[in-house]
Amino acid sequence: MSINPMPLERVREYERERAIRLPADERSLFHLTPLVGWMNDPNGFCFYKGQFHLFYQYYPFSRSWGPMHWGHAVTTDLLHWTYMPCALAPDTAADAGGCFSGSAVPMPDGRLMLFYTGVQPAGTFRRETQTQCIAIGDGTDFEKSMLNPVIRHAHLPAGYSAFDFRDPKAWREADGTFRMAVANRHEERQGAILLMKSRDGVDWQFAGEIDASCSEYGRMWECPDFFRLDGTQVLLVSPQEMHAREEFHAGYGTVAFLGDFDELECRFERRNIQPVDHGLTFYAPQTTLAPDGRRIMIGWMDNWETCKEAPRRHPWYGQMTVPRELFIRDGRLCQHPVREMESIWLDTVRHERITVQDSVSLEGVRGRLMDMTVTLYPDGSGCRRFTLHVAEDGSRYVQIRCDLARGELVFDRSHGGSHRDIAHTRHVPAEVRDGKLVLRLLMDKESIELFINDGERVVTSLIPTSPEADGITFAADAAVTLSVEAHHLKSTV
Ligand code: FRU
């Protein structure tokens, strides 16, 4: 039954009309933006028929959130994206309130199965409810199952919510059976991630609770992911309403729980807990396994607080982070930008072991499309404070301040051109290790992703600074040695 006033075919027509009017240079260079309108979470990230597919939470008709569709794009190198037609519209009784976040699993018969949250709108006497739905297709067109919703509140034991029940992340085990991690809110333990099991992806049973917030790490947990990496079981969640604690900032957070999982008992033992990303604009990441064995993560380069006040400069709003390779080092979840970044390096400027004090700019080191690594060697220098300005012009700049004595870095975009009273700074541990502090910055037109100490911590932020502000300066409170390797990026895709 089609009940949406705008069925999928009409949405696709609208996309065709609008897409023509959007030149590529009005988009970010290597960060995926929506074809038109609004984008939030990454969905259905997978490798299927020789390409990576990424779907996304999408409202084509406005640059603000609206009834959720699934946008769709494909790539072979994780940097250059080709738009595909809208994959899902909220056009059936099971999802008339929106097709919320979910995942994709390639099937043995060659088809692709999508798992998503079908929202049923609030009626006069009831609140909006959330259920899990499926759609099967060939990578372009997807048919929603007549059996939707395939998972309802009735599948769950008492105490779990019918209203906060979303974001299924499904996968197939080696024996061909299906598993799903899905978010819910338990009446006592609050945000909780549930494990579901199925033989065929259609008929599901509750298998247990993987973990829960117990009011320590926020209220509702959204967008789970659950996978093995380098011998460790990793649970990723995006909590709402977190209190600041340890390394976590208040508000919309991302948490990685690292531990061991006993599937028979459905028992997850936490060994380590850390933020996934320390930035101002990062939420709802999702991973996939690449054919070469890399676990690759992509996130929404925004969050529900920051997006409210962000400027709408283009016919689209919202972007994804650079895809990142995940790995475990010293018990921590670490990240590198995908190695494919090298394929868009244009030229390289190197300054080896130079001495810097006061405020200097370096020959050839300027720009807003850049992959730049700064290595600081402070030992024996007496340098306690090192400051890097990027996206700088006469009055604006984004500042990265390193307090070497405290082992702390402050990412500060408050002079970046915003006139909004929102968070602009983040404080992040950043220690000198083996005599070095290494900062790798990926700069695209409207964002900076900062990888500290070879991916140990990451700070992701949109910056409001106009693209003409392209200065970069280095300053220290005592003469200090540093090396810079700056790769300008090819400006056309
Ligand atoms: C996370 C989220 C998900 C939900 C989607 C709706 O950002 O709130 O929980 O499925 O966005 O667009």
Side-chain angles (χ1 to χ4, degrees):
M1 177 184 52
S2 192
I3 55 177
N4 183 19
M6 190 69 89
L8 187 61
E9 254 331 297
R10 290 283 313 286
V11 178
R12 289 178 169 189
E13 256 171 50
Y14 175 86
E15 286 182 322
R16 282 192 293 270
E17 285 162 21
R18 291 302 173 105
I20 299 164
R21 291 191 231 133
L22 274 183
D25 64 0
E26 280 187 26
R27 296 184 180 279
S28 296
L29 180 66
F30 57 96
H31 291 92
L32 179 67
T33 53
L35 178 57
V36 61
W38 162 272
M39 161 195 273
N40 58 288
D41 314 349
N43 296 156
F45 193 22
C46 65
F47 190 82
Y48 174 67
K49 287 190 184 162
Q51 309 184 89
F52 291 95
H53 288 247
L54 186 71
F55 302 83
Y56 51 89
Q57 289 286 278
Y58 179 40
Y59 186 56
F61 308 113
S62 153
R63 290 171 300 177
S64 298
W65 192 88
M68 280 291 102
H69 296 58
W70 276 33
H72 186 191
V74 293
T75 180
T76 50
D77 67 359
L78 296 156
L79 299 172
H80 299 87
W81 296 91
T82 304
Y83 290 104
M84 299 287 285
C86 177
L88 299 175
D91 57 6
T92 65
D95 58 26
C99 301
F100 276 18
S101 283
S103 49
V105 179
M107 305 287 286
D109 67 3
R111 293 180 302 163
L112 188 64
M113 193 184 250
L114 308 182
F115 299 83
Y116 67 98
T117 298
V119 179
Q120 287 104 55
T124 322
F125 300 110
R126 60 182 187 101
R127 278 171 64 188
E128 166 186 294
T129 53
Q130 301 186 337
T131 57
Q132 315 317 318
C133 296
I134 54 174
I136 302 179
D138 60 3
T140 304
D141 299 309
F142 298 89
E143 195 177 333
K144 294 178 181 172
S145 171
M146 303 279 284
L147 302 171
N148 281 341
V150 296
I151 308 178
R152 307 157 189 265
H153 183 235
H155 281 76
L156 307 181
Y160 291 109
S161 172
F163 315 112
D164 277 318
F165 183 24
R166 55 185 178 271
D167 310 338
K169 177 70 201 288
W171 66 95
R172 280 179 75 227
E173 291 286 336
D175 67 1
T177 60
F178 289 74
R179 301 286 181 280
M180 174 192 290
V182 60
N184 197 291
R185 191 151 68 83
H186 188 269
E187 58 192 21
E188 279 155 23
R189 294 186 296 281
Q190 299 291 292
I193 304 305
L194 313 182
L195 183 71
M196 308 289 298
K197 285 188 182 180
S198 168
R199 241 179 338 95
D200 54 7
V202 181
D203 184 20
W204 289 90
Q205 289 86 41
F206 174 82
E209 184 182 278
I210 299 171
D211 207 338
S213 166
C214 299
S215 301
E216 285 185 312
Y217 294 93
R219 191 165 152 271
M220 174 62 182
W221 281 358
E222 303 187 302
C223 299
D225 204 337
F226 195 51
F227 52 89
R228 251 192 119 60
L229 179 69
D230 302 339
T232 299
Q233 189 69 32
V234 180
L235 173 65
L236 303 183
V237 297
S238 294
Q240 299 175 322
E241 296 177 32
M242 265 182 74
H243 288 287
R245 58 176 294 177
E246 302 144 14
E247 288 184 31
F248 296 94
H249 58 81
Y252 290 97
T254 49
V255 185
F257 297 98
L258 280 64
D260 300 302
F261 185 56
D262 176 348
E263 209 204 70
L264 273 183
E265 305 279 321
C266 192
R267 199 172 43 234
F268 178 68
E269 297 247 356
R270 300 175 182 176
R271 266 190 272 124
N272 209 350
I273 304 170
Q274 64 175 89
V276 182
D277 187 301
H278 295 255
L280 290 151
T281 55
F282 182 90
Y283 197 65
Q286 187 174 94
T287 74
T288 193
L289 197 58
D292 58 11
R294 288 180 291 170
R295 175 62 63 172
I296 299 180
M297 178 180 79
I298 191 164
W300 178 32
M301 194 151 57
D302 222 319
N303 78 42
W304 293 108
E305 212 73 66
T306 47
C307 68
K308 285 185 215 153
E309 299 296 342
R312 304 291 197 260
R313 295 203 184 100
H314 312 284
W316 51 266
Y317 180 81
Q319 28 191 326
M320 296 297 166
T321 65
V322 72
R324 301 164 183 185
E325 299 175 14
L326 299 184
F327 58 100
I328 306 282
R329 191 177 56 215
D330 299 333
R332 285 187 63 86
L333 180 68
C334 300
Q335 319 171 29
H336 286 150
V338 286
R339 60 198 68 171
E340 284 83 349
M341 272 307 293
E342 292 179 24
S343 70
I344 60 167
W345 290 351
L346 178 66
D347 54 28
T348 302
V349 178
R350 279 200 184 83
H351 293 269
E352 293 277 2
R353 302 248 179 192
I354 54 167
T355 304
V356 158
Q357 197 176 356
D358 302 327
S359 182
V360 294
S361 49
L362 301 175
E363 181 149 1
V365 182
R366 160 180 287 277
R368 284 287 288 275
L369 292 176
M370 209 182 259
D371 179 353
M372 174 172 78
T373 300
V374 179
T375 308
L376 195 69
Y377 303 94
D379 284 0
S381 68
C383 172
R384 298 169 62 84
R385 198 174 170 99
F386 170 74
T387 308
L388 178 63
H389 281 191
V390 294
E392 186 176 37
D393 64 11
S395 56
R396 281 159 301 179
Y397 53 88
V398 172
Q399 188 179 61
I400 295 163
R401 294 191 291 275
C402 302
D403 184 330
L404 302 171
R406 290 180 65 168
E408 185 182 74
L409 176 150
V410 182
F411 183 95
D412 184 352
R413 62 171 190 184
S414 40
H415 296 276
S418 171
H419 48 90
R420 297 293 182 183
D421 188 8
I422 54 172
H424 290 302
T425 57
R426 288 277 193 254
H427 293 245
V428 188
E431 279 153 25
V432 177
R433 287 270 159 72
D434 302 324
K436 296 190 288 191
L437 175 64
V438 187
L439 308 178
R440 180 173 176 189
L441 279 87
L442 298 196
M443 289 188 266
D444 201 339
K445 296 172 188 169
E446 299 181 1
S447 63
I448 296 177
E449 288 162 281
L450 167 61
F451 295 78
I452 302 170
N453 281 342
D454 205 20
E456 183 179 284
R457 288 185 175 79
V458 188
V459 183
T460 297
S461 272
L462 291 171
I463 56 167
T465 323
S466 65
E468 301 79 53
D470 65 351
I472 297 179
T473 54
F474 305 81
D477 63 351
V480 68
T481 305
L482 61 85
S483 295
V484 177
E485 183 173 306
H487 307 279
H488 295 101
L489 304 178
K490 296 175 186 166
S491 61
T492 50
V493 287

